[in-house]
Amino acid sequence: MADKLGGEGLIRELCNGFQLLMDKDKGIITLESLRRNSALLGLQSLREDELVSIMREGDMDGDGALNQMEFCVLMFRLSPELMESSWIWLEELLNKRPH
């Protein structure tokens, strides 16, 4: 997927995923909004303890919710292919910079 979308497309898709899962009033992903909206991303089979684990793993600031940056970082951590692609894109960008 990352190869097809490129860097900007991938970021756009991650932002779209965040928008689908977030609590519209709060602008963050809460456990409740994850529970309620997870089927939109094909995650309806996740158990409650798995949803809680996802929230804990991604919640870097300890506020019990995921902001957009925490969500994107979590998605990269959970998908090694995304991480590998991001290093390739970074290397390409660095090589294009004038020295």
Side-chain angles (χ1 to χ4, degrees):
M1 179 174 96
D3 291 335
K4 285 183 184 179
L5 296 174
E8 288 180 30
L10 179 60
I11 296 299
R12 189 171 41 255
E13 286 303 308
L14 287 173
C15 289
N16 288 340
F18 177 79
Q19 295 291 321
L20 287 172
L21 293 173
M22 77 175 193
D23 179 303
K24 305 300 184 227
D25 295 328
K26 297 178 181 177
I28 55 176
I29 297 173
T30 62
L31 181 57
E32 180 57 36
S33 70
L34 182 60
R35 230 185 255 123
R36 188 175 53 248
N37 300 320
S38 60
L40 296 172
L41 295 178
L43 303 174
Q44 64 272 14
S45 64
L46 290 176
R47 299 183 321 260
E48 179 71 13
D49 63 318
E50 292 172 315
L51 294 173
V52 169
S53 179
I54 288 170
M55 292 297 293
R56 282 191 187 136
E57 187 167 340
D59 183 16
M60 293 185 280
D61 61 11
D63 67 354
L66 301 180
N67 62 38
Q68 191 166 9
M69 182 60 70
E70 289 171 325
F71 174 76
C72 290
V73 168
L74 177 63
M75 292 299 99
F76 274 90
R77 286 178 46 214
L78 294 177
S79 180
E81 306 85 41
L82 292 180
M83 194 59 132
E84 186 176 314
S85 295
S86 67
W87 282 113
I88 292 168
W89 297 324
L90 178 60
E91 189 174 296
E92 287 174 5
L93 286 172
L94 292 174
N95 288 331
K96 289 180 184 178
R97 285 182 34 198
H99 296 279

